[in-house]
Amino acid sequence: TAAILLRLGGAKTTREYLQWYAKNAIRADGMVSPILNDDGSVNTGFGSDIEYDSQGQLIWLVAEVARLDGGALSVRDYQPKVRLALRFLQQLRERTLVPGYEATREAPERFRGILAPSISHEGYSTPTHSYWDDYWALKGWHDGAWLAEQWGDAETAKWAREQYALLRESVTASIRATMQWKGIDFLPSSADLGDSDPTSASIALDPTGQQDVLPADALQATF
């Protein structure tokens, strides 16, 4: 919603919202809390620590403000928070790379190197390896690298590009492995279920721009 406001002349409101959210939502470990209460406090209800789409979403919004309202220097104050959020994204991926993580699962390659399970996808009431989070994470790494470059932070930009490439490789492999395991010809929404949800799959196209990680035939079948 904030990103759309930027395109409708509401940049001031968008910046105020971004400042309010970023001030309150990012924990010391870098997790971006998915829900804030009206007073700006972190909502600690069910799901408050197992939703991970906010990581990429917040970084994307910082980049959108930069691109559409004032340039990267106008959002330079968010540099530490962007790096924190990216660091947590890396940790989320590394959870599924721990030796033995997939040992008890059928077709374990479906889970290797993608983000840890969450309930970000509204259709899952129990933590699930949803590609929804991975698409947002890819956008976060992509835009995080761009912001770092604009800020003159070559070290962070290099790290972000490397992590972006690693996650893209894992997501690409996972989607194909899930399709093979499930025997489906459409895009799966999660590695756990191999289920169909074109609505959540659509964010791979816009706004996250990850169409090329999707098998073309499956993309056609899904829509």
Side-chain angles (χ1 to χ4, degrees), residues 64-80:
E64 285 288 89
V65 171
R67 284 188 285 256
L68 299 174
D69 184 54
L73 291 182
S74 73
V75 291
R76 183 67 178 266
D77 289 348
Y78 294 101
Q79 185 174 5

Side-chain angles (χ1 to χ4, degrees), residues 110-138:
R110 295 165 17 234
F111 305 98
R112 191 173 298 123
I114 63 175
L115 262 61
S118 81
I119 62 164
S120 303
H121 183 299
E122 300 297 334
Y124 308 133
S125 58
T126 58
T128 304
H129 297 81
S130 170
Y131 295 121
W132 172 275
D133 282 348
D134 293 297
Y135 298 141
W136 277 118
L138 287 168

Side-chain angles (χ1 to χ4, degrees), residues 83 86-87 89-90 93-94 97 113 137-138 140-146 148-149 153-171:
R83 187 174 174 85
L86 289 173
R87 180 64 65 187
L89 271 182
Q90 181 177 348
R93 178 174 182 268
E94 289 175 347
L97 293 172
L138 287 168
W141 284 118
H142 177 276
D143 282 6
W146 178 78
E149 288 172 349
D153 184 353
E155 179 185 358
T156 296
K158 180 177 181 291
W159 165 58
R161 285 193 297 268
E162 290 170 348
Q163 291 297 318
Y164 175 65
L166 288 170
L167 182 58
R168 274 175 59 88
E169 183 180 352
S170 294
V171 173

